[in-house]
Amino acid sequence: MRRPVDIAKDEASMTTLVELTSVFEGIASMRIAQTKNQVLESTKFFDALWAIYLQLRVDAIFSYGRGNSDKPVLDRELFIIITAEGGFSGDIDQKLVELMLKDYDKTKNDIIVIGHHGAMQLSQRGVSFRKYYKLPSKDKNINVAPVIKEVQEYRKCTVYYQQYVSLMNQEVKKIGLSAAIQTTAEKSETHEAIISEANYIFEPSSYAVAAHLERSMMKIALSQLILQSKLAQYASRFRAMSASHERADESKAELHLAYNRARRNVKDERLKEIINGIKKSKAAAS
Amino acid sequence: MSDETPTSDTQAKEAASTTDGRSMHVKVYSPFKVYFEGTAESVSAESATGPFDILPKHHNFITLLDPCDLIIRTGKDEEQAIAIQGGIMHVKADEVIVFLDV
């Protein structure tokens, strides 16, 4: 039987754990609310840019902001996988890596990883990747320009990301980057007016403006996918913390029960010793 | 003085956005921050071709901005300068929208 003082120590540690998981749960929940707002703000900004692009459209095909550049394009598909920075976000990263590896063919695809956890998971599986970027710690002004520069070198690009469905449900998804732009744009209002050189002055040129808009919208779309992933990671962390909180609470209650039992046992033992002592002294007196 | 005093936030916004041909409605913003929104008499910035000013009744115009101080003149001696790293300016019907961080 364990001593009550040892059980009390364990109970105190478990109380700390309960408090810690509760704090992490709170932080995750606060981050979820903040990130949701940022996605909304960023979507409004995207809509305004998309409205101009739609009226200006100089080419029928989305050209990844390459414009009239004659730089050769790699005839391969780039995979961008957005994972968490640390391994503190449940099992969602593992599911995402598995989803990407189902499509991966090293003769046709290159991989760029955003988030250290994804890079580690790929290394453990012996899959090499072209580049690794840290997942931005801040949620505002995410600089995705270096990634977009890489994207422009490829004919096609698919992004693997995590999507927040609800606090208790997150999904792993994939989307073509140009399709991501199209999907975001479908939600915005349609604009009938046409912007052309007949009714507008362009500096430096309509093609340069259209290419710049494409690059800008790719940046916003990628930033939004990163925010979506972070949202899902916060939710996954919240779920993991909720489960840990529950388990820690149960363990604490069990330890408290064990502590009370142990104390009672000690008291019973002492009482037995006293009664035995009294019996012995009575027997000796008679 | 007009009797039509704005009575709600929406009406106040509508009244502020109405231009009289001597001022423009200007909005300068990025995905996460609005740097300026209101009426102005002129806006100055720099593009690849050099510095330029936008005044009321300017022709429809789209330009890529270079890093510079974007200056918004709101009154005779009042101006606001915003240091920018680049952006896109869209001018149409006395409405100037500057998209930053893009």
Side-chain angles (χ1 to χ4, degrees), chain A residues 38 41-42 45 48-49 52 55 139-141 195 199-204 208-209 212-213 216 219-220 227, chain B residues 29-33 47-49 52 58-64 87-88 90-92 98-102:
Chain A
Q38 278 151 18
E41 282 176 44
S42 163
F45 186 84
L49 272 182
I52 299 174
Q55 294 168 77
D139 295 336
K140 288 186 176 181
N141 302 326
I195 296 177
N199 58 1
Y200 264 81
I201 300 169
F202 291 97
E203 265 180 20
V209 171
H212 191 92
L213 281 171
S216 302
K219 282 183 199 167
I220 297 171
L227 281 179
Chain B
Y29 72 133
S30 70
F32 302 113
K33 191 175 174 184
S47 68
T49 46
F52 64 90
H58 195 284
H59 195 277
N60 296 343
F61 179 53
I62 297 180
T63 186
L64 304 181
I88 300 170
H90 181 212
V91 183
K92 188 187 178 186
V98 181
F99 300 95
L100 298 181
D101 299 336
V102 289

Side-chain angles (χ1 to χ4, degrees), chain B residues 6 9-20 23-26 37-40:
Chain B
D9 280 357
T10 324
Q11 281 173 304
K13 272 179 196 167
E14 276 171 12
S17 69
T18 308
T19 56
D20 52 7
S23 61
M24 307 170 290
H25 178 247
V26 180
E37 185 166 17
T39 50

Side-chain angles (χ1 to χ4, degrees), chain A:
Chain A
M1 189 80 179
R2 289 181 70 200
R3 288 164 56 208
V5 67
D6 295 333
I7 300 174
K9 271 184 197 167
D10 282 356
E11 196 186 340
S13 325
M14 200 49 74
T15 306
T16 313
L17 197 66
V18 169
E19 283 165 3
L20 258 177
T21 50
S22 169
V23 168
F24 280 127
E25 211 179 353
I27 292 171
S29 148
M30 198 174 68
R31 284 286 183 97
I32 287 167
Q34 282 173 349
T35 313
K36 266 181 164 176
N37 271 344
Q38 278 151 18
V39 171
L40 279 178
E41 282 176 44
S42 163
T43 306
K44 279 185 203 162
F45 186 84
F46 182 96
D47 287 350
L49 272 182
W50 176 256
I52 299 174
Y53 177 72
L54 204 65
Q55 294 168 77
L56 173 68
R57 194 76 80 87
V58 285
D59 278 319
I61 305 163
F62 188 86
S63 61
Y64 290 88
R66 287 189 280 262
N68 289 335
S69 163
D70 48 9
K71 209 177 159 192
V73 177
L74 284 170
D75 196 16
R76 291 169 71 83
E77 185 177 359
L78 179 67
F79 285 172
I80 298 175
I81 180 165
I82 306 168
T83 64
E85 194 51 34
F88 208 38
S89 54
D91 59 350
I92 197 161
D93 282 344
Q94 201 180 331
K95 284 183 191 164
L96 190 68
V97 168
E98 280 161 11
L99 176 74
M100 187 193 70
L101 291 180
K102 270 185 203 164
D103 302 335
Y104 178 66
D105 175 352
K106 69 176 178 183
T107 60
K108 293 177 187 162
N109 308 120
D110 286 330
I111 302 172
I112 284 183
V113 190
I114 300 175
H116 185 249
H117 196 221
M120 258 175 47
Q121 296 237 343
L122 285 175
S123 298
Q124 280 165 7
R125 287 169 160 88
V127 179
S128 59
F129 43 88
R130 184 174 160 159
K131 264 184 190 171
Y132 148 69
Y133 293 94
K134 271 184 88 165
L135 185 77
S137 55
K138 54 183 185 178
D139 295 336
K140 288 186 176 181
N141 302 326
I142 298 172
N143 180 18
V144 291
V147 186
I148 295 299
K149 223 174 167 185
E150 301 277 347
V151 171
Q152 286 181 292
E153 290 178 19
Y154 287 82
R155 191 162 300 283
K156 227 177 144 193
C157 173
T158 299
V159 185
Y160 292 81
Y161 67 106
Q162 297 150 2
Q163 194 180 41
Y164 172 89
V165 180
S166 69
L167 212 51
M168 288 297 151
N169 187 13
Q170 299 85 46
E171 286 177 359
V172 288
K173 294 235 166 187
K174 64 173 177 177
I175 190 166
L177 194 55
S178 63
I181 292 157
Q182 209 78 34
T183 310
T184 316
E186 272 166 15
K187 292 167 195 157
S188 67
E189 294 165 32
T190 50
H191 293 260
E192 297 291 324
I194 289 171
I195 296 177
S196 73
E197 280 169 2
N199 58 1
Y200 264 81
I201 300 169
F202 291 97
E203 265 180 20
S205 71
S206 55
Y207 278 91
V209 171
H212 191 92
L213 281 171
E214 283 182 356
R215 282 194 296 275
S216 302
M217 284 182 302
M218 273 201 294
K219 282 183 199 167
I220 297 171
L222 189 59
S223 304
Q224 282 192 339
L225 292 179
I226 291 175
L227 281 179
Q228 274 279 1
S229 292
K230 288 185 97 172
L231 197 58
Q233 285 157 18
Y234 291 141
S236 182
R237 186 181 302 174
F238 177 86
R239 207 173 52 172
M241 283 304 134
S242 265
S244 305
H245 190 169
E246 236 170 70
R247 276 199 299 274
D249 245 350
E250 280 169 15
S251 301
K252 193 188 155 204
E254 279 167 17
L255 280 168
H256 193 70
L257 202 68
Y259 171 74
N260 284 339
R261 274 190 193 137
R263 273 188 64 184
R264 201 178 200 164
N265 271 343
V266 170
K267 278 182 188 169
D268 287 352
E269 282 298 316
R270 274 187 196 157
L271 208 63
K272 268 185 203 168
E273 279 168 17
I274 292 166
I275 292 167
N276 285 342
I278 293 169
K279 275 182 186 170
K280 274 182 189 171
S281 56
K282 268 188 183 173
S286 61

